[in-house]
Each structure stands twice: as C-alpha cells, then as structure tokens.
C-alpha cells in the first residue's frame, strides 16, 4: 500500500427506518491520502443490504463495484498524478435503500516536468522555414523571442497533447551574414525553464 496516511472522518451513519445501513470495520478510517505515484487501499465493512460503488473521477477505480448484504471489502486504486496540483475525489458506497456512505480520496501533486527535444542550437538554412521543438511538460509556460529577432522569427503555435510541439517560422535571410537568436521558454513567473539558439545561415546570393 503506497498511500501516505489515513485520517478519520465521520460518515453519514444514518440508517433507514428499519435500521438497515452500513458499518465500517473497527479501525477503518474513511479518508485516504495518497502520494503522487498512486497506490491502493482496502476498506472493510458490513452492509445490511446489497450495495454498489461509484467514483467521482476516472483516476479512482474500485473493485468490486457491487456486492451483497453481509461482510464486504473493496479495494480503492488511485492512478499516478502527473499534474503539479493536489487533487481530491471520493468513493460512494450506496445501499439498495439509497443510503450512501462516502470515502474521501486525496492525492499529492506530482513533480514538475519540463524537457525539450533540442540540443541547444538549431541551424536553419538561409531560405528559412519552420522550426519545431518537442516539449514534454505538465506546467504552464510562455515563449520569449528577443525583440531584435521578432522581425525574422515568428512564434506560430503550440500543438498540445501531453507532449507538445512548439513551432516557429523563420523568414528568408537575404544578407551575407548569418544571424541567431536565443529563444527562452519561461514559466508564469518569467523565470527561464529552458533556452535554445536558432541560427540561420547567410545567403549565398546576398543582396548586400
């Protein structure tokens, strides 16, 4: 079991008018906190009626999803949290008399990830063209182009899936000298996460 801790929390312990309800086993807490890598926890109870289980989110799974009156046990499994924020959810055990009992689920945030598929310098022919940079990240960021390079490097788009592609368009270089610019990928605070250089070759048939 890879969760960090259990903490005790009162359930909706109401029974119906016939005294039918659900009682958790002694020592079973009803709030589970998991580490970012995920894990599982087992909950034991006695139900007076048949029951079914539902979860609030896809990252929480439960087996089995239903059972009959008597002693019961469910295993709650939490997937890895790749985001940089904590997340919460719940598991509801609902009896056939519509009485529900909730298990709160909390999970710690994942570590920040930021990697780019560039070795520091990207060479572009004088004719120009598109430059694509692969970015693997789970945090927000922005693209910074130096002012003196904005006339020849244009940020086109970020194609977003879990792995993103940052696309630049480099215009034709008609001059006899090569040119370069340092591009920065910055976090929301303006701090540099990664940087790389776009270097463009000089024109062979320069106009100057």
């Amino acid at each position: 079991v890879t969760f960090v801790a259990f903490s005790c929390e009162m359930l909706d312990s109401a029974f119906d008018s016939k005294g039918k309800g659900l009682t958790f086993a002694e020592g079973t807490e009803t709030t589970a906190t998991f580490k970012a890598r995920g894990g599982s926890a087992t909950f034991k109870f006695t139900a007076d009626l048949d029951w079914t289980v539902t979860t609030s989110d896809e990252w929480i799974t439960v087996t089995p999803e239903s059972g009959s009156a008597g002693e019961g046990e469910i295993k709650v499994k939490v997937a890895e949290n790749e985001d940089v924020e904590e997340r919460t959810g719940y598991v509801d055990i609902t009896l056939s008399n519509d009485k529900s009992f909730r298990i709160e689920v909390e999970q710690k945030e994942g570590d920040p990830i930021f990697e780019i598929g560039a070795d520091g310098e990207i060479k572009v022919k004088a004719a120009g063209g598109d430059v694509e940079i692969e970015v693997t990240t789970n945090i927000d960021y922005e693209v910074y182009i130096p002012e003196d390079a904005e006339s020849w490097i244009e940020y086109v788009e970020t194609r977003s899936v879990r792995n993103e592609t940052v696309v630049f368009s480099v215009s034709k270089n008609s001059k006899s000298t090569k040119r370069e610019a340092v591009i920065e990928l910055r976090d929301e605070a303006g701090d540099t996460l990664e940087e790389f250089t776009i270097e463009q070759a000089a024109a062979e048939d320069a106009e100057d």
Side-chain angles (χ1 to χ4, degrees):
V1 178
T2 53
F3 54 87
V4 176
F6 278 131
S7 63
C8 209
E9 180 175 299
M10 292 298 294
L11 286 174
D12 175 10
S13 57
F15 289 72
D16 65 16
S17 59
K18 297 181 180 180
K20 303 293 185 180
L22 180 147
T23 305
F24 279 83
E26 184 178 355
T28 299
E29 293 83 9
T30 57
T31 297
T33 302
F34 294 82
K35 292 183 178 180
R37 66 175 180 267
S40 62
T42 299
F43 297 85
K44 298 181 179 182
F45 53 87
T46 300
D48 296 321
L49 298 166
D50 295 347
W51 50 271
T52 58
V53 176
T54 56
T55 65
S56 59
D57 299 274
E58 292 183 354
W59 52 273
I60 305 171
T61 56
V62 179
T63 53
E65 296 181 348
S66 62
S68 302
E71 292 186 359
E73 179 178 306
I74 59 172
K75 184 176 183 179
V76 177
K77 186 176 181 180
V78 173
E80 181 179 2
N81 185 6
E82 296 180 346
D83 294 329
V84 290
E85 295 182 356
E86 292 185 2
R87 58 186 181 182
T88 60
Y90 58 83
V91 175
D92 279 347
I93 305 173
T94 303
L95 300 181
S96 58
N97 62 357
D98 294 329
K99 292 293 183 180
S100 291
F101 303 82
R102 178 163 293 182
I103 298 169
E104 302 287 347
V105 178
E106 302 173 352
Q107 188 175 25
K108 299 297 185 181
E109 70 276 10
D111 293 329
I113 299 172
F114 197 89
E115 300 173 354
I116 65 171
D119 295 328
E121 186 172 84
I122 298 130
K123 295 185 181 295
V124 181
K125 294 181 179 179
D130 288 347
V131 173
E132 297 187 357
I133 306 297
E134 298 294 330
V135 177
T136 301
T137 186
N138 59 0
I139 63 175
D140 294 329
Y141 66 96
E142 60 183 20
V143 176
Y144 171 75
I145 300 174
E147 288 186 11
D148 58 3
E150 290 179 350
S151 61
W152 59 280
I153 298 178
E154 177 188 2
Y155 168 56
V156 177
E157 63 178 340
T158 297
R159 300 169 187 160
S160 180
V161 282
R162 172 53 59 179
N163 294 328
E164 302 175 342
T165 301
V166 181
V167 183
F168 301 89
S169 177
V170 178
S171 61
K172 180 179 179 180
N173 185 7
S174 302
K175 298 183 178 181
S176 60
T177 56
K178 69 178 182 179
R179 56 187 179 183
E180 64 180 39
V182 177
I183 309 300
E184 298 180 19
L185 302 180
R186 298 177 174 178
D187 63 19
E188 293 180 309
D191 296 324
T192 301
L193 298 165
E194 292 282 356
E195 65 179 31
F196 53 90
T197 301
I198 294 180
E199 179 184 297
Q200 188 177 25
E204 295 181 0
D205 53 347
E207 297 175 356
D208 56 352

